[in-house]
Amino acid sequence: MQVSLETTQGLERRLTITVPAAKVDGEVNGRLRQLAKTRRIDGFRPGKAPLTVIQKMFGASVEADVAGDLMQRNFFEAVISEKLNPAGMPTMEPAPIKAGQDFTFTATFEVYPEVEVKGLDAISIEKPQSAVQDADLDKMVVTLQKQHADWADVERAAAIDDRVTMNFVGSVDGSEFDGGAANDFVLVLGSGRMIPGFEDGLLGKKAGEEFTLEVNFPEDYHAENLKGKPAQFAVTVTKVEAQELPELTEEFVKRFGIADGSLDGLKAEVRKNMDRELAQALKASVKEQVINGLLEQNPVDVPQSLIDNEIETLRKQAMQRFGGLDQKNAPQLPAELFQEQAERRVRVGLLLGEVIKKNEIKADDAKVQEIITGMSSAYEDPSEVVAYYNENPELLENVRNLAIEDQAIELILSQAKVSDKQVSFDELMNKQGA
């Protein structure tokens, strides 16, 4: 076998591999002779058909099979001999097999980049410091009340948190556009559901008022024909309603699983949940900064084949989130939607993988149990969840991988420049939700 290696562009490599004629002819003839022994051919006794007849009948398919096997076998031998690390399967281009001639084929593929992680001491991290305050707790209780609020008609002007029912017709350049009209449309002011300026234009309006809103579609609006364009909405407000919050009665509190119906019991449960969410947000904030710093300090080329695989994973996850949608007949989501996220995930995977490999990081059992305990705390019977994870090898392996990643983040953090920054609960949670 002769092997020639060339770099075509970036991480792409092309192997040209030549297999000696004697080896090719031996493979082809051997398979033809085997067929001659086993195939029943009209006009000949079993196993007595001449090789020339077998060649004429089955030669093309045998040569195709031999070519496929030779390419696969010799490709992997060449990769090993050339010390290459392919990322994804190759594209094979064979020349025709001809008796008495060498068989040549090319294999084009990408290789994993050589990754060297550096600059960890140049990464700057602002480690947020926060705690749930009594005011945060009171605000969350009010949020629970709002989620169960009733609505009552009011004659006054609409204000933030009011619910407005309206009819509207939108137009751009004097012409109505698709999706720009609605009747009995319900909107809670302050929810941020509409394009900038729309909700502001409803503040101070009363039921029965008719008016025109002058707004601009954002430059990044999803509809290409509306991006950045000024629009007019002819609006008629038909109803303004104010929230009527439920009282914090024993009956109301019991809706949230607080057996004794006490406000103190509700607040204790809410605070526990807020503390858990806060801890997760603090961890996520630090992790995001560490990864951003790691990417900034270590630019690395990534194989498109890995990005394509990640795009397909993200596409499937997106389809699953649609729930009951018939995925077989659903339109294919364009790769462009996932390109940036996929590329980032591949880069992060390569860099963190190198940190883990170089530092020989293994999953710490205490860390594994800490993660399981954290996940179980959201359930009614945490001990049952802990036991379930520890008795399920596949789930336990997933948690071990999470632990290894956390330990890699902690190692990077130990070498980075870290400063503390005091932040409020709302500031941190809003940032995480953005």
Side-chain angles (χ1 to χ4, degrees):
M1 178 181 70
Q2 295 179 346
V3 179
S4 171
L5 173 66
E6 61 179 310
T7 298
T8 51
Q9 58 178 356
L11 297 173
E12 189 178 84
R13 303 290 184 269
R14 180 183 293 124
L15 285 171
T16 301
I17 301 172
T18 301
V19 183
K23 187 172 184 180
V24 179
D25 291 344
E27 288 266 1
V28 172
N29 292 331
R31 296 193 189 195
L32 289 173
R33 282 192 293 270
Q34 185 63 32
L35 279 174
K37 294 177 183 178
T38 58
R39 286 285 181 147
R40 182 178 293 275
I41 307 298
D42 291 343
F44 298 94
R45 286 181 297 159
K48 296 300 182 179
L51 200 60
T52 54
V53 174
I54 298 296
Q55 165 69 39
K56 185 175 181 180
M57 295 181 66
F58 303 108
S61 63
V62 166
E63 289 173 356
D65 290 343
V66 168
D69 290 346
L70 286 175
M71 286 191 293
Q72 183 175 7
R73 188 161 64 244
N74 286 276
F75 169 72
F76 286 113
E77 289 179 6
V79 162
I80 293 171
S81 68
E82 297 292 330
K83 297 182 174 58
L84 298 172
N85 189 10
M89 296 303 294
T91 299
M92 304 284 202
E93 295 182 9
I97 285 183
K98 295 183 179 179
Q101 296 185 14
D102 294 343
F103 170 60
T104 300
F105 69 94
T106 62
T108 305
F109 55 96
E110 291 178 295
V111 296
Y112 280 91
E114 294 185 8
V115 180
E116 180 185 0
V117 176
K118 54 188 178 181
L120 301 186
D121 57 353
I123 298 174
S124 296
I125 307 294
E126 285 188 340
K127 195 172 184 179
Q129 304 293 316
S130 187
V132 177
Q133 306 296 327
D134 289 343
D136 299 321
L137 179 58
D138 292 340
K139 187 175 179 180
M140 187 61 70
V141 171
V142 171
T143 298
L144 295 178
Q145 289 176 279
K146 287 181 177 180
Q147 290 172 356
H148 295 79
D150 292 322
W151 296 93
D153 287 3
V154 293
E155 296 182 1
R156 61 168 173 74
I160 289 292
D161 291 334
D162 284 347
R163 189 165 74 177
V164 174
T165 303
M166 74 194 95
N167 304 325
F168 62 79
V169 177
S171 59
V172 170
D173 297 328
S175 300
E176 296 181 22
F177 55 88
D178 290 341
N183 289 322
D184 297 325
F185 186 83
V186 178
L187 177 68
V188 176
L189 299 186
S191 62
R193 288 175 54 198
M194 308 300 282
I195 62 175
F198 194 100
E199 291 187 29
D200 291 341
L202 298 174
L203 293 172
K205 305 300 184 183
K206 296 181 179 181
E209 286 195 54
E210 298 181 8
F211 51 93
T212 298
L213 292 179
E214 302 280 347
V215 294
N216 283 291
F217 281 97
E219 293 292 342
D220 59 353
Y221 194 67
H222 61 84
E224 191 68 33
N225 62 316
L226 299 176
K227 286 183 176 180
K229 290 192 174 182
Q232 298 76 39
F233 285 87
V235 181
T236 300
V237 174
T238 58
K239 188 190 297 184
V240 176
E241 299 169 285
Q243 282 185 333
E244 290 187 342
L245 300 184
E247 295 183 14
L248 297 172
T249 62
E250 181 177 327
E251 179 184 0
F252 175 78
V253 171
K254 284 184 175 180
R255 294 184 188 181
F256 301 95
I258 309 302
D260 64 4
S262 68
L263 181 57
D264 287 343
L266 175 63
K267 286 188 173 182
E269 183 66 22
V270 171
R271 182 182 284 275
K272 184 175 73 172
N273 292 335
M274 292 175 71
D275 284 338
R276 182 174 61 249
E277 291 175 5
L278 179 62
Q280 292 172 348
L282 289 169
K283 179 180 176 181
S285 174
V286 171
K287 181 177 179 179
E288 183 181 17
Q289 291 182 70
V290 167
I291 289 176
N292 288 342
L294 184 65
L295 291 170
E296 184 179 340
Q297 295 298 323
N298 296 276
V300 57
D301 291 333
V302 293
Q304 185 60 44
S305 56
L306 296 186
I307 296 174
D308 291 341
N309 290 340
E310 195 63 37
I311 285 174
E312 189 57 31
T313 298
L314 291 170
R315 180 185 278 137
K316 288 179 180 177
Q317 291 173 351
M319 294 300 293
Q320 288 168 358
R321 286 196 292 271
F322 285 116
L325 187 64
D326 183 356
Q327 295 189 24
K328 290 184 179 179
N329 297 320
Q332 182 85 314
L333 295 174
E336 294 76 20
L337 288 176
F338 311 103
Q339 175 72 27
E340 186 176 342
Q341 183 183 3
E343 187 171 340
R344 175 182 170 89
R345 285 174 61 158
V346 172
R347 291 182 192 279
V348 171
L350 289 172
L351 291 171
L352 282 181
E354 181 61 22
V355 171
I356 292 165
K357 177 183 174 183
K358 182 178 179 180
N359 295 279
E360 300 181 346
I361 299 175
K362 308 293 182 185
D364 179 75
D365 289 339
K367 186 74 173 176
V368 171
Q369 294 306 312
E370 177 187 325
I371 293 173
I372 293 174
T373 299
M375 292 188 296
S376 69
S377 64
Y379 293 85
E380 187 174 345
D381 187 352
S383 61
E384 188 176 297
V385 178
V386 171
Y388 181 71
Y389 268 86
N390 283 314
E391 292 168 3
N392 188 311
E394 185 176 345
L395 289 177
L396 195 58
E397 185 60 27
N398 290 339
V399 177
R400 288 186 182 279
N401 291 334
L402 289 176
I404 290 173
E405 183 176 286
D406 282 354
Q407 290 167 231
I409 294 294
E410 289 167 3
L411 185 145
I412 298 169
L413 188 63
S414 69
Q415 299 183 37
K417 300 174 183 176
V418 182
S419 59
D420 292 340
K421 180 183 180 182
Q422 201 69 34
V423 295
S424 68
F425 176 85
D426 278 350
E427 181 183 354
L428 185 62
M429 300 308 293
N430 289 337
K431 184 178 180 181
Q432 289 300 306

